[in-house]
Amino acid sequence: MNLALRETVTYAPEMVDAGLLKNNTDYHGRSYGMHENYLCARATPLDALVRGLTPHLVSRQLLVGAGKLGYETPGAPIAPGFQLSQRADFFEERVGINTTAKRPIFNTRDEPHARSTSYRRLHCIAGDANRSEWATAMKVGATALVLDLIETHGWAPAIELADPVTAIRLFSRDPRGAVGVPTTNQNHVTLHDLQASIYRACQGAFAGRDVETDWVLDQWESVLTDLRGDYAKLVGRVDWASKLWLLESFRDAEQLEWQDPALKS
């Protein structure tokens, strides 16, 4: 067989600068995902999962929020300020099946990639797209511990939020963690205290179980401890803290207000 050989010329493209963005909102009223999936025992009642996991999903932004400049309220201009989570502005229900409209904090979508009579697929949309590897590990690790606590210990939180949808927004807009939101027993709880209560429950149940679990618990405690002092100790680990430190450094250097277009750019 005769083969016709042809010379191939490869042209090197010109060097082009490219900017890559990783976010969860376009600042035009649209939000898009960072979804997680967890395999749960079908025998665990759905109500127990909703009750146990909701306070953690509302408050874990303290650990793993991606950070966001500006507040988005439907039908209103973007307000200046900084918040912990990029997606907190977009949740409208406590529980539901939707993912693109009327987004719920606890999503009931259930499409298990396993025996459906034995397992549930917990589809979680109440989270941000992180840049920090530490934050990604903590997002999955801490949430898995809470789910394990519910499944194996029948745990129910001592603190229940009266209005989780309002709470997730108020918590997000309070990086200092001073705002208290109503609970079902007519008291108020701060973001820090809510996360601390969930941490203590996991620490009491799982400390010493294995190296991976102890790492999650140690890092969880470290963040809660550091936040009682200077949030700058979290820079390099926690996304929102790293972004806030950069923005505040830039504001101080340039004498800018939060609404200055230079910050948003």
Side-chain angles (χ1 to χ4, degrees):
M1 180 185 298
N2 294 324
L3 297 178
L5 300 180
R6 185 164 30 175
E7 183 179 359
T8 301
V9 179
T10 302
Y11 295 94
E14 295 182 4
M15 297 297 293
V16 177
D17 290 332
L20 301 178
L21 303 178
K22 186 174 185 179
N23 56 30
N24 293 112
T25 174
D26 64 358
Y27 288 97
H28 293 283
R30 289 178 288 268
S31 174
Y32 26 86
M34 199 306 300
H35 295 186
E36 304 153 62
N37 293 281
Y38 299 88
L39 195 67
C40 301
R42 179 68 66 182
T44 303
L46 181 61
D47 287 347
L49 290 174
V50 173
R51 182 182 179 190
L53 194 59
T54 297
H56 180 62
L57 295 180
V58 168
S59 62
R60 69 176 185 168
Q61 55 186 298
L62 185 71
L63 302 173
V64 298
K68 177 183 175 181
L69 187 65
Y71 306 153
E72 292 187 76
T73 303
I78 296 174
F82 182 86
Q83 56 180 314
L84 302 177
S85 170
Q86 295 190 9
R87 300 207 81 195
D89 287 333
F90 298 93
F91 290 101
E92 300 177 64
E93 295 182 329
R94 181 186 180 191
V95 182
I97 196 170
N98 292 320
T99 59
T100 58
K102 299 288 288 183
R103 291 182 181 88
I105 294 170
F106 187 100
N107 188 253
T108 57
R109 182 176 177 181
D110 182 8
E111 300 168 348
H113 301 300
R115 187 183 298 113
S116 61
T117 54
S118 300
Y119 299 102
R120 170 188 302 279
R121 172 189 171 195
L122 179 61
H123 182 232
C124 178
I125 67 173
D128 294 346
N130 293 105
R131 293 293 305 275
S132 164
E133 292 182 356
W134 179 95
T136 298
M138 285 300 297
K139 176 164 52 186
V140 175
T143 303
L145 287 183
V146 175
L147 287 170
D148 205 359
L149 193 63
I150 298 167
E151 286 192 345
T152 63
H153 289 65
W155 177 76
I159 301 172
E160 291 190 68
L161 300 170
D163 184 352
V165 173
T166 299
I168 197 172
R169 295 178 184 176
L170 291 177
F171 281 158
S172 182
R173 299 179 183 191
D174 177 37
R176 307 302 179 185
V179 171
V181 302
T183 64
T184 54
N185 63 2
Q186 307 304 313
N187 291 324
H188 285 71
V189 65
T190 67
L191 174 59
H192 188 284
D193 288 343
L194 182 55
Q195 262 295 293
S197 71
I198 298 169
Y199 158 75
R200 287 192 296 269
C202 290
Q203 197 274 341
F206 302 125
R209 183 173 68 174
D210 54 59
V211 172
E212 191 173 86
T213 297
D214 283 346
W215 181 88
V216 173
L217 292 171
D218 288 345
Q219 293 299 310
W220 201 342
E221 182 183 29
S222 174
V223 169
L224 293 172
T225 300
D226 289 344
L227 275 174
R228 294 197 181 279
D230 184 1
Y231 83 90
K233 294 179 181 179
L234 306 179
V235 172
R237 288 181 291 165
V238 179
D239 280 344
W240 70 259
S242 303
K243 290 180 181 179
L244 180 57
W245 181 83
L246 286 171
L247 288 169
E248 289 193 328
S249 298
F250 184 53
R251 285 181 65 228
D252 290 342
E254 301 295 328
Q255 296 296 299
L256 302 175
E257 299 296 331
W258 279 114
Q259 64 267 31
D260 196 294
L263 280 179
K264 186 176 180 180
S265 67

